[in-house]
Amino acid sequence: MADESERAVQAAMEAELHLLDPEVRASPVLVSELLDPDFIEFGASGRRWDATSILTVTSAGSVDPESPVEVSEMSGVLLAPGVVHLTYFAENSGRRTWRSSLWRLTDTGWRMYFHQGTSAC
């Protein structure tokens, strides 16, 4: 069971890091492959996003390739079969945020179902 849990957490971590890649974020097709159709995000700004609205932001170049998101302290836990919760610290362009994501395994692979960012002082 531990191996299954570790594999699930590792797969979700890889998907999260892939989603943070500036080249991936610039592609609505690639971002869509990683977001659940029912995706919801509560951003550090307090704004609520869904899959459609987040695609508008990411395809507009929300992450500068010259200043990628720096991730640290990433950890994860398998909450139930096919459901992983990740937490990590992200820094980009002087903004520091704590991030929390729920990933679920679907027929097409791991997809982010929920995400929240909280500003870190």
Side-chain angles (χ1 to χ4, degrees), residues 8-75:
V9 169
Q10 186 62 39
M13 285 180 171
E14 289 171 9
E16 183 89 35
L17 293 172
H18 193 60
L19 188 56
L20 292 171
D21 182 295
E23 290 182 26
V24 172
R25 293 179 72 82
S27 168
V29 172
L30 294 176
V31 172
S32 292
E33 291 173 358
L34 292 167
L35 295 182
D36 192 273
D38 295 325
F39 170 81
I40 295 294
E41 175 177 340
F42 297 126
S45 66
R47 183 169 176 187
R48 181 182 185 275
W49 305 86
D50 59 17
T52 302
S53 61
I54 208 74
L55 282 173
T56 302
V57 172
T58 58
S59 62
S62 62
V63 175
D64 181 354
E66 300 297 317
S67 179
V69 176
E70 294 181 33
V71 174
S72 61
E73 301 180 41
M74 184 178 276
S75 64

Side-chain angles (χ1 to χ4, degrees), residues 69-88:
V69 176
E70 294 181 33
V71 174
S72 61
E73 301 180 41
M74 184 178 276
S75 64
V77 63
L78 182 69
L79 298 177
V83 179
V84 171
H85 179 225
L86 299 179
T87 58
Y88 61 96

